[in-house]
Amino acid sequence: MEEFVVYILYSEKSSKTYTGFTSNLIERFKSHNNLSTKGHTLKFRPWIVIHIEFFNSKIEAMNREKYLKTGIGREFIKNLIHKI
């Protein structure tokens, strides 16, 4: 059974966050910080992982990612950042 991870990245340098989901957090994190040559996360490097949640299905992870991108979810993320 494949496991999915919802993750929140934070760039201290630019005070930006990025929320996503994946089935391979380590490789995805490497991509955000080192491998990718284009995209949103490239200009705000370096990223740190500030939160992860595990799910048994892709749809659950997608729904949680979508929720975290709502106003309530952004408040949750803001509270995480204040704890850093």
Side-chain angles (χ1 to χ4, degrees):
M1 177 186 251
E2 195 168 27
E3 186 173 63
F4 293 88
V5 180
V6 172
Y7 59 93
I8 301 170
L9 304 178
Y10 179 65
S11 169
E12 291 178 303
K13 180 176 93 176
S14 57
S15 298
K16 298 283 186 188
T17 63
Y18 180 85
T19 303
F21 81 93
T22 184
S23 60
N24 189 335
L25 182 62
I26 302 301
E27 288 304 314
R28 192 71 178 122
F29 185 64
K30 283 183 197 175
S31 175
H32 285 305
N33 267 328
N34 301 314
L35 303 176
S36 65
T37 57
K38 60 182 176 180
H40 174 76
T41 60
L42 177 66
K43 47 189 164 175
F44 303 114
R45 289 177 179 166
W47 294 97
I48 58 170
V49 178
I50 62 168
H51 185 74
I52 57 173
E53 297 177 15
F54 297 92
F55 296 90
N56 292 322
S57 73
K58 185 176 181 178
I59 193 73
E60 288 175 303
M62 290 171 62
N63 287 337
R64 181 61 174 165
E65 177 195 21
K66 187 175 179 180
Y67 173 79
L68 289 170
K69 292 179 177 180
T70 67
I72 298 168
R74 286 191 300 273
E75 279 298 313
F76 171 79
I77 293 168
K78 191 185 302 183
N79 289 332
L80 287 175
I81 292 167
H82 288 298
K83 293 177 183 177
I84 294 176

